[in-house]
Amino acid sequence: RVSVVGPQVVQTHRYAVLDLDARARQASADSDDYDQLSERGYLQARLLGEQWAAEGLEPHSVYVGPRKRHHQTAATLASELDSAWPEPVCQDGWDEHDAYDIVMHSIPILAERDPYVAERAERYRGSDREARVAYFELYRHITRLWVLGEVDLDGTRFEPWPEFRRRVDAALSEVIEREGRGRTTVVVTSSGPV
């Protein structure tokens, strides 16, 4: 069993993903350091750790993505499970994609030809609440376009969707190959890989 700590429940024939809620490893979006687990993220990781301890979960292995908040989540979970938590293995394959930067890169390009993006880009400059709603709408729309290959990333450092998916699939395949059957494995990552 591979449990990936992330925001959605996904089940396939190969593995199960354990839901930790959409805000569980919540980054500090309103902070100067985005890669900092929020107070809510710490609380939710602690509560999950308490639940796992009560259920007697003893993972055989733990993998974490390279972000600071991935490690903070893993450490918080470990503090609730005491000796039942093995030393985490850091895997770059569990890193997130550059969602924010892809969105910011794409807004001016897409706004020239996409009225939906142009209108939300204007609202993004508005009040705090209005700007957050507009950003979320832009994020959803542009991420969908990124997955469909309709965002021009030529000449940028950003991963196209197929590369991102291959990287995450390779990380998952490596965990499955290493761990085999009959072992409980936890992966701590961000929402993108999940």
Side-chain angles (χ1 to χ4, degrees):
R1 178 174 92 173
V2 177
S3 295
V4 180
V5 177
Q8 300 169 345
V9 175
V10 177
Q11 292 190 1
T12 73
H13 65 285
R14 291 177 46 195
Y15 64 97
V17 176
L18 179 67
D19 180 26
L20 178 58
D21 189 79
R23 298 170 304 277
R25 326 109 9 287
Q26 184 173 5
S28 296
D30 297 330
S31 165
D32 290 337
D33 184 3
Y34 177 77
D35 192 20
Q36 173 67 40
L37 193 64
S38 69
E39 288 304 314
R40 180 179 285 181
Y42 276 111
L43 173 63
Q44 292 181 340
R46 184 178 57 76
L47 292 173
L48 179 64
E50 287 175 6
Q51 177 183 336
W52 282 355
E55 293 173 0
L57 178 83
E58 293 187 15
H60 295 96
S61 55
V62 175
Y63 294 83
V64 295
R67 302 291 174 152
K68 180 169 53 174
R69 65 186 178 279
H70 300 157
H71 291 267
Q72 292 166 335
T73 301
T76 303
L77 290 166
S79 71
E80 300 301 325
L81 292 173
D82 299 322
S83 62
W85 192 261
E87 185 66 30
V89 175
C90 184
Q91 275 187 322
D92 288 341
W94 293 110
D95 199 3
E96 61 194 37
H97 58 85
D98 292 316
Y100 176 81
D101 292 335
I102 290 171
V103 169
M104 292 296 107
H105 163 81
S106 302
I107 288 173
I109 297 166
L110 294 172
E112 290 181 15
R113 66 175 194 262
D114 185 336
Y116 183 90
V117 172
E119 189 269 326
R120 277 145 188 85
E122 276 303 311
R123 287 190 9 232
Y124 181 59
R125 297 184 189 121
S127 70
D128 286 343
R129 180 173 171 5
E130 184 179 356
R132 281 194 302 268
V133 169
Y135 175 78
F136 179 70
E137 291 170 345
L138 286 164
Y139 171 83
R140 261 192 353 213
H141 183 71
I142 292 171
T143 299
R144 185 178 143 282
L145 295 175
W146 173 65
V147 168
L148 294 172
E150 297 177 14
V151 172
D152 181 11
L153 299 177
D154 290 343
T156 71
R157 63 177 171 75
F158 306 125
E159 266 179 314
W161 166 253
E163 287 178 28
F164 173 72
R165 184 169 176 186
R166 274 192 295 275
R167 173 171 57 83
V168 173
D169 284 347
L172 178 60
S173 293
E174 183 179 337
V175 168
I176 291 169
E177 185 177 316
R178 272 190 192 176
E179 301 305 325
R181 294 185 173 272
R183 295 174 54 87
T184 298
T185 302
V186 174
V187 176
V188 181
T189 186
S190 299
S191 61
V194 173

